[in-house]
Amino acid sequence: MPTGTRDGPSPARHPTAPGAADSVPFLDLAAQFEEIRDELEPALLEVLRTATFIGGPNVAAFERAYALSVGVRSCVGVANGTDALELALRALGLGAGDEVVLPANSFIATAEAVVRAGATPVFADVLPEALLLDPASATAAVTDRTRAIVPVHLFGQVAPIERYSPIAEACGAVVVEDAAQAQGATRFGRAAGGLGAIAATSFYPGKNLGAAGDGGAVTTDDEILADTVRTLAAHGSRTKYVHELVGFNSRLDALQAVVLEVKLRRLAEWNARRRAAAAYYGELLGGVDEVVLPTVLPGNEDAWHLYVVRVDERDRVLGELAAAGIGAGIHYPSPIHRTPAFRDHPRTVPLSVSETEAPRLLSLPMSPHLTRAQQERVAEALVAAVRAG
C-alpha cells in the first residue's frame, strides 16, 4: 500500500523549488522507464495488438515469476495492494466479530483492509529502533477474538515473523504479512511475502516493484487459500456465471503484468543499488547527532523502499529541504489511530512509541537511480536544516 504508500495519495511533502537545476526528486520514475524502455515498449505493443487485456498468458507468466522470486507455490495478481490484503483476510474466513492485531505505525490501508473484510482492527505499538510491530505490544493486544496478526514490513525491512508466530499459535490465529513495501527484502535468507500463512503486496508505481498504475498480489504456499483468493477476486466464480461465493472484481490486467515482469528481472539489481545508497547516506550522516538513522534488524536484508530518518522540528526541516530543492516526504504524519477515520476506535494497549515518533519521521530521497552527487546535496541540505533550529 504515491511514493511510499500502498494505494493512496503521495506522501505528505512540500514541493521542491521549481526549476532548480540541482533539485533532487523523491523518486525518479522517468529514469527507471528509460532504463527499461527498449524491452518494455514492444511487450506493451504486443498486448495491445493481441488484445489480451484481462488475464491470459502475460498475467500467468508474471504470477509464476513472482511466486518463484518469493519462494512460494502461488501468486494471485489483483487490482491493488489494499484488495490483496482484504482478499487474504477473506480467504482465511475472517469476518464480523473477529479481531486483527496490526501496528499503529503504518499506512491506513492496512486497517482499511481489515474493516472491509468485516473484522475489527486492534492497534499495537512498534519497536523503538526499527518501528516494526512490537511483539510484546502485540501479545498484550491479543484477546479471545484474535484471528490474525498482521505485521507490516515497513519501509522495506522485514518484520521479525518468528517472534509473532508463537503469539498467533497460542491464540489460534494466523500471521498475515503486509509486504506492500518489501519486494525483494529477506529475513534470514527468506523473502518477504513467503513467511506467514499468506501475504499481500502492492505494485503501486512508487514501490520497489511498481506497475504503470495500480496492481497488487497475494502470495502463499497454501494452494487452497490461493484458489479461494482467485475465486473471490473474480466475483466468487471459478466457472463463468457460476458464483460460489460473494466476491468482487479485483484483477491485475495484462498491461500491468508486462510492466511488472520486465521490472522483476531487475529487482535484485535495483534493490542492490538502494542498499548502496542507504550505506552512503550512513557515511554522510553517521556523525550528525541531530539525525537518527534507520536501524536494520539482525538477519534482515532491507529492500530500502524508503530511507526514513528521525529529526526534531521535522516540519520545519521538511520545509527547508523543499526550499533547497530536496524532495523529502513524511511516512506517516499520524499513526492510524490518530487519523479522523479511526480517531474514535477503541485502544486496548499503549501506543506511545507510534505517537512519539510519528512527528519526527522524515523520508529522504531513495531510488535505484539516486546518484552519489544527489545524496551529497541531500545530506548537505539536511545538516544545514537540522542545525538551523
Side-chain angles (χ1 to χ4, degrees):
M1 151 178 230
T3 307
T5 66
R6 187 199 318 284
D7 311 300
S10 298
R13 63 178 185 267
H14 289 275
T16 55
D22 56 353
S23 64
V24 181
F26 187 78
L27 174 64
D28 193 346
L29 291 177
Q32 186 181 89
F33 169 70
E34 290 302 325
E35 184 173 336
I36 62 174
R37 175 199 288 267
D38 291 344
E39 189 174 351
L40 182 59
E41 287 183 341
L44 290 173
L45 287 173
E46 181 63 14
V47 173
L48 296 172
R49 187 187 66 79
T50 59
T52 53
F53 299 122
I54 302 296
N58 295 110
V59 173
F62 170 71
E63 289 177 336
R64 288 192 299 271
Y66 193 68
L68 182 64
S69 75
V70 172
V72 295
R73 292 186 180 90
S74 298
C75 168
V76 182
V78 298
N80 56 68
T82 309
D83 282 5
L85 186 52
E86 178 185 353
L87 286 161
L89 296 171
R90 286 182 180 273
L92 289 165
L94 271 69
D98 297 330
E99 292 181 350
V100 178
V101 176
L102 64 146
N105 181 40
S106 180
F107 184 51
I108 195 172
T110 309
E112 280 180 326
V114 175
V115 173
R116 284 174 35 174
T120 301
V122 177
F123 299 112
D125 211 357
V126 295
L127 295 166
E129 299 83 12
L131 303 178
L132 300 167
L133 179 63
D134 182 347
S137 183
T139 300
V142 166
T143 74
D144 58 4
R145 295 190 294 173
T146 303
R147 295 293 176 266
I149 297 174
V150 180
V152 177
H153 301 322
L154 195 69
F155 307 151
Q157 184 172 184
V158 184
I161 297 291
E162 72 283 355
R163 297 181 65 185
Y164 314 122
S165 296
I167 304 169
E169 289 169 7
C171 66
V174 296
V175 175
V176 179
E177 297 171 77
D178 182 335
Q181 299 185 9
Q183 293 104 351
T186 62
R187 180 157 182 79
F188 297 114
R190 297 180 61 199
L195 303 172
I198 194 168
T201 195
S202 166
F203 301 128
Y204 197 86
K207 296 297 188 285
N208 291 41
L209 181 62
D214 271 316
V218 176
T219 54
T220 180
D221 250 342
D222 189 324
E223 294 178 346
I224 295 175
L225 282 179
D227 180 66
T228 303
V229 168
R230 196 177 297 279
T231 302
L232 286 168
H235 299 289
S237 174
R238 292 180 176 88
T239 304
K240 192 171 183 178
Y241 299 133
V242 179
H243 304 278
E244 305 165 42
L245 304 169
V246 177
F248 55 97
N249 178 19
S250 183
R251 297 177 290 202
L252 180 69
D253 69 70
L255 288 168
Q256 303 305 337
V258 164
V259 173
L260 290 167
E261 189 176 14
V262 169
K263 289 186 176 184
L264 180 59
R265 297 170 201 153
R266 290 170 171 79
L267 180 62
E269 178 191 345
W270 285 349
N271 281 351
R273 292 190 210 169
R274 287 175 180 267
R275 287 192 293 274
Y280 194 45
Y281 270 139
E283 291 179 28
L284 293 168
L285 299 169
V288 182
D289 293 339
E290 297 88 347
V291 178
V292 178
L293 300 181
T295 298
V296 177
L297 292 181
N300 274 0
E301 185 172 67
D302 200 331
W304 293 105
H305 172 57
L306 296 169
Y307 191 88
V308 180
V309 300
R310 286 179 257 184
V311 298
D312 293 331
E313 299 183 80
R314 188 269 317 281
D315 292 344
R316 176 189 63 78
V317 171
L318 180 65
E320 293 192 21
L321 290 178
I326 307 300
I330 303 173
H331 300 84
Y332 298 96
S334 301
I336 301 174
H337 69 283
R338 291 286 194 183
T339 63
F342 286 95
R343 186 172 292 151
D344 298 326
H345 193 75
R347 297 178 218 170
T348 61
V349 298
L351 302 170
S352 55
V353 176
S354 298
E355 293 174 347
T356 300
E357 297 306 316
R360 304 180 66 222
L361 303 180
L362 179 68
S363 301
L364 303 183
M366 169 57 74
S367 80
H369 301 87
L370 186 67
T371 68
R372 289 171 73 91
Q374 287 176 321
Q375 289 188 265
E376 289 159 8
R377 279 268 300 116
V378 173
E380 179 184 15
L382 178 60
V383 171
V386 296
R387 290 179 175 170

